[in-house]
Amino acid sequence: MADVEFPDNLSDVKYMSEAHQEAAKALLRAGQAHLFDGWVAGTNSSEKARFFDVIVGVQETYPGGVEAYCENARRLLAESAAEVNPFDGWVPEVPEGFALDYASPQFDEAEATGLATFRDCAFVLVAGGLGERLGYSGIKVSLPTETETDTCYLELYIKQILSRQRASNKLAAASSGGAAGGGAGGAEERIVPLAIMTSGDTHERTVELLEENGYFGAAEGQITIMKQEKVPALLDNDAHIAREEGTKYAIQTKPHGHGDVHTLLASTGLAAKWSRDGRKFIVFFQDTNAMCFKVVTAAVGVSQTNNLACNSLTVPREAGAAVGAISRLKRTASGETITINVEYNQLAPLLKKTVSSDGDVADPKTGLSPFPGNINQLIFAVEPYVRAIKKTGGLVPEFVNPKYANAEKTVFTKPTRLECMMQDFPRTLDAADAVGFTQFEAWTYSPVKNSLDEARKKIASGNAPCCALQGEAEMYLSACKALDSFGCRVAAPAPFTALGITIPMPARVVIDPALEPSRAALAARFPSPSKVRVSQRSTLVLRGDDIVVEELDLDGALEIRAAPGARVTVKKLAVRNAGHSFDLLADDEDAPEALKIRGYRLKRGETEILEFGAGDHVVRR
């Protein structure tokens, strides 16, 4: 790399830190000398130091640093101006994959395989967003998943991981003829690591949420926080970096996209460490889909059984829906194939150009798109993943989307930047690596991402609202479906309307993750399911790790709290009380944000609370 002589206005840089000096040289090599216009040597040293701190961040987190970023930007900006289609020469085909219906024998078999493998997995939560789009000013992972227990998303995810970790370790111990933890020939107990990608907007609040709650029971060192940095904003097709308005000592930066999670796993060395530790799979999931762990263990089982290097979790997709599609692309010239996500706004034109003038249409047999819908939950086998990031530094194929101010496409309306998406990582895998998908029912994906206003618009256009109201209802629904799947008599949902949005509201059932490491494990907690009846207006909350319900007739609200070491068996119990209900909020009513984005508050009319300390307890009345 050629050395750079500092011009007179940067002569004081040689007295700065080595990292700052290298950052200045990198900018000059990258053609960014305009950033130093107006600088005077020997002045504003603290502002200059802060300026170079930002550049050092780019140097450390972007593979190849600012020079590579600018080089990549010039290439992509030239292709954008020339309207180059990245999929030219490719023909989309329906990919090969697997479909699992919840509670089917195939699902249970896959989940059992996945649970045995769970202790050898690592998890990555992409949590860089605030809830502003929802009308919630906090970090999204702090949002309550439901109002009966106010369990936030981050707590739910951690407890679901811990529950499956314990169950997986017990399976390993049993198969080795001893106890978990090693002794007497038992398998060594393994801790399942969780990495959380934050952003400048969410980092401190995520750390604070974890610290205030004792990391929700996670072991020391089990959770790693990786902070995502922003990338420089670009003024023009020559990739000149934009200054912040009103100052000579700051550049404009913008988010690079959730694809940065891969560069962070590379730069922190976490992925390499997981490989050395013998991890088999890395599971990526998003911040506000409470249904994730209902199916992800089964998907791990599919990956294990079928030796998949990449397994995308999918749901059925409506033709034309604003949802990416997992597609098998075939290059017409060479026959080369790749299975990747194709965004909906790229899929329709590509189909029209190469397959049919009808474009993105439904299969007449199913009424759905033949292409499975991408939900950005991904499972990668560790070895091919690490092999790929060694080659790329974790950088996935980027794109740029400038808004042009003139027909010649030489002027931008505002600075742009390069972007990348997590789901594009399969494009960096080797051709021999097996890439597939596992499809589950639509209810297993319930992202909370829209405000009530936006949700009403979604409904009007024929789409799911994807708001906090729907997310809460489907949180309860997933528990009801689990109970129903092994024969409990749970009443069907009834319509519920809040602020113009109507959804099916089921019985409000909340089950401690400790009781449900798998569907089969939860079924064992209800040995006589036909003797368990829950009315639609009821609330059932089970808290604890050892509760068995043999016979229950519930029409109202019941909460069972079993402290650590408590073993509770409900032999026979009937509960009739006023229960809980939702009080509707007016559009302009003063209420906490977490309630306003739902349109109601919970009214606890009457609750039967059964609380137990350590020891054996039997309930019969």
Side-chain angles (χ1 to χ4, degrees), residues 153 156-157 160 288-296 377 442-447 471-479:
Y153 281 94
L156 177 68
Y157 295 147
Q160 288 172 324
T288 55
N289 175 31
M291 305 299 106
C292 172
F293 283 87
K294 279 287 181 185
V295 296
V296 79
Q377 291 173 198
W443 67 266
T444 64
Y445 177 57
S446 183
E472 175 159 4
E474 294 191 348
M475 180 75 179
Y476 302 136
L477 179 65
S478 69

Side-chain angles (χ1 to χ4, degrees), residues 138-439:
I139 55 175
K140 286 194 285 185
V141 292
S142 71
L143 183 68
T145 57
E146 36 77 17
T147 54
E148 286 287 354
T149 69
D150 285 330
T151 299
C152 72
Y153 281 94
L154 187 54
E155 177 181 6
L156 177 68
Y157 295 147
I158 292 172
K159 289 187 173 179
Q160 288 172 324
I161 289 172
L162 294 177
S163 170
R164 287 155 179 77
Q165 172 186 292
R166 286 190 293 269
S168 188
N169 280 321
K170 287 180 180 178
L171 287 173
S175 66
S176 65
E188 178 185 358
E189 186 167 332
R190 303 201 74 186
I191 291 175
V192 175
L194 169 64
I196 303 174
M197 184 178 80
T198 61
S199 66
D201 293 328
T202 66
H203 182 79
E204 290 185 3
R205 282 186 270 186
T206 302
V207 172
E208 182 180 355
L209 179 63
L210 288 166
E211 291 180 345
E212 286 181 350
N213 292 279
Y215 286 76
F216 297 111
E220 184 177 355
Q222 184 168 7
I223 297 176
T224 301
I225 311 292
M226 310 181 299
K227 183 181 176 183
Q228 176 189 26
E229 300 294 343
K230 296 180 179 180
V231 293
L234 306 168
L235 286 168
D236 52 36
N237 287 332
D238 291 322
H240 287 119
I241 295 172
R243 280 177 168 176
E244 282 283 9
E245 292 185 13
T247 177
K248 300 188 290 286
Y249 303 110
I251 65 168
Q252 291 187 39
T253 59
K254 296 188 176 187
H256 190 221
H258 49 50
D260 275 354
V261 69
H262 303 298
T263 60
L264 286 169
L265 288 174
S267 63
T268 60
L270 264 185
K273 179 181 185 302
W274 291 341
S275 176
R276 293 192 301 272
D277 291 345
R279 303 291 169 186
K280 295 180 179 179
F281 297 103
I282 304 174
V283 181
F284 294 79
F285 64 107
Q286 299 276 24
D287 47 15
T288 55
N289 175 31
M291 305 299 106
C292 172
F293 283 87
K294 279 287 181 185
V295 296
V296 79
T297 309
V300 169
V302 171
S303 290
Q304 172 73 10
T305 300
N306 297 281
N307 297 311
L308 294 180
C310 174
N311 184 5
S312 294
L313 277 66
T314 68
V315 293
R317 179 180 176 273
E318 298 281 348
V323 176
I326 303 299
S327 308
R328 183 176 184 262
L329 300 183
K330 184 174 183 179
R331 192 183 290 277
T332 51
S334 64
E336 174 191 358
T337 62
I338 184 172
T339 300
I340 59 170
N341 173 71
V342 178
E343 289 302 315
Y344 68 94
N345 57 349
Q346 297 172 316
L347 179 66
L350 189 59
L351 286 168
K352 286 182 179 179
K353 183 177 179 180
T354 61
V355 177
S356 167
S357 59
D358 294 331
D360 184 12
V361 295
D363 181 337
K365 295 180 181 178
T366 64
L368 296 167
S369 167
F371 295 91
N374 172 52
I375 61 174
N376 274 355
Q377 291 173 198
L378 302 157
I379 302 172
F380 291 99
V382 169
E383 292 314 307
Y385 182 87
V386 170
R387 187 170 63 243
I389 64 173
K390 282 182 179 178
K391 293 185 298 184
T392 65
L395 189 64
V396 298
E398 297 167 294
F399 61 96
V400 66
N401 188 27
K403 302 297 185 288
Y404 296 107
N406 63 347
E408 296 76 22
K409 298 185 177 180
T410 57
V411 180
F412 303 162
T413 59
K414 59 182 179 180
T416 189
R417 86 286 198 182
L418 299 190
E419 300 179 66
C420 61
M421 297 189 295
M422 174 176 73
Q423 62 268 31
D424 283 339
F425 190 88
R427 294 168 67 180
T428 71
L429 294 171
D430 291 343
D433 291 330
V435 178
F437 69 89
T438 305
Q439 182 157 293

Side-chain angles (χ1 to χ4, degrees), residues 16-70:
M16 294 183 178
S17 70
E18 184 176 342
H20 285 177
Q21 291 182 53
E22 289 303 316
K25 291 176 181 179
L27 287 173
L28 292 171
R29 286 192 295 264
Q32 306 297 331
H34 68 285
L35 292 174
F36 305 119
D37 290 348
W39 282 33
V40 178
T43 65
N44 302 94
S45 57
S46 59
E47 290 93 336
K48 292 175 181 177
R50 285 194 293 270
F51 172 93
F52 285 121
D53 283 342
V54 174
I55 306 303
V56 169
V58 178
Q59 293 288 91
E60 292 176 346
T61 58
Y62 189 92
V66 70
E67 293 172 81
Y69 179 78
C70 294

Side-chain angles (χ1 to χ4, degrees), residues 540-556:
L540 174 62
V541 177
L542 302 180
R543 298 180 188 259
D545 61 8
D546 198 346
I547 300 172
V548 174
V549 179
E550 295 184 1
E551 184 173 342
L552 173 65
D553 187 2
L554 175 61
D555 185 35

